[in-house]
Amino acid sequence: MSLDLDRGHLSALWQRQWPMGPSLAHELRAAYSDRWVRFHSLPGSKRYPQTENEYTVVLDRNNTVLEELFAGTDVYVVTTAWSSEPNGPKHPTRRREVHSDGSFWMTIANEVDPDPEFHTYTHLSTDRRPWQRGSVDGILREVAHDVLSGVIIADVGRCLA
């Protein structure tokens, strides 16, 4: 269940809470290194689950952490897609399947390279929902399988702080 998304309001909240960086997961690590952490969900820091039992472990451990952070709150779930066009595919098929409630939020241009042929665009989709254990399992499975990356799950209450 997704609640209505106000893109402008979300952008203002993001800027107020995270002013040192755009809403790109890979840039938050550097901008907020004092708050960034990586959890290894499988024994021996194994990166990718290969069996259903390993997926069960990954999902359970991720949901345990997320439940501690977000129980009783609403969250924003942000997924990412990339293209070489500013109006490129904002909802690739697999992301659309696992984040069907996601609405287009914004496109961020990376035009550092002087050659326009090498410009890239990051398209962000988001939804706001009440946190429920298991509610992002489809997304977490795709992250664990390295199909999706750049996913952000943010507490609406902390964005309002």
Side-chain angles (χ1 to χ4, degrees):
M1 174 183 110
S2 180
L3 305 173
D4 289 335
L5 176 67
D6 179 337
R7 290 173 190 80
H9 182 68
L10 176 56
S11 295
L13 290 173
W14 188 274
Q15 182 58 38
R16 192 166 56 235
Q17 181 65 24
W18 311 104
M20 295 189 324
S23 44
L24 299 172
H26 66 277
E27 291 192 17
L28 292 175
R29 178 181 180 180
Y32 295 96
S33 60
D34 61 323
R35 302 181 208 180
W36 188 89
V37 64
R38 170 176 282 161
F39 295 98
H40 293 277
S41 297
L42 291 170
S45 294
K46 182 177 179 181
R47 186 161 177 153
Y48 301 109
Q50 295 174 312
T51 67
E52 278 307 310
N53 284 342
E54 289 177 340
Y55 275 105
T56 299
V57 169
V58 167
L59 293 175
D60 181 60
R61 290 180 178 181
N62 277 276
N63 275 291
T64 297
V65 171
L66 293 168
E67 184 71 17
E68 270 302 306
L69 293 170
F70 303 132
T73 67
D74 284 356
V75 294
Y76 287 112
V77 177
V78 182
T79 56
T80 306
W82 294 270
S83 73
S84 58
E85 298 293 327
N87 296 317
K90 295 175 179 68
H91 241 44
T93 303
R94 191 65 196 128
R95 186 176 72 171
R96 187 172 48 248
E97 291 171 7
V98 297
H99 193 198
S100 59
D101 288 337
S103 298
F104 174 71
W105 174 21
M106 72 168 75
T107 295
I108 299 172
N110 180 357
E111 299 173 331
V112 174
D113 194 300
D115 186 343
E117 191 172 320
F118 296 104
H119 293 175
T120 59
Y121 301 87
T122 305
H123 310 287
L124 302 175
S125 291
T126 191
D127 75 277
R128 178 180 171 165
R129 62 177 80 177
W131 169 253
Q132 275 186 273
R133 184 179 185 89
S135 66
V136 294
D137 280 1
I139 292 170
L140 294 174
R141 278 185 75 93
E142 296 305 303
V143 170
H145 196 59
D146 204 26
V147 172
L148 289 181
S149 62
V151 172
I152 297 172
I153 303 170
D155 180 339
V156 172
R158 291 197 180 115
C159 283
L160 295 170

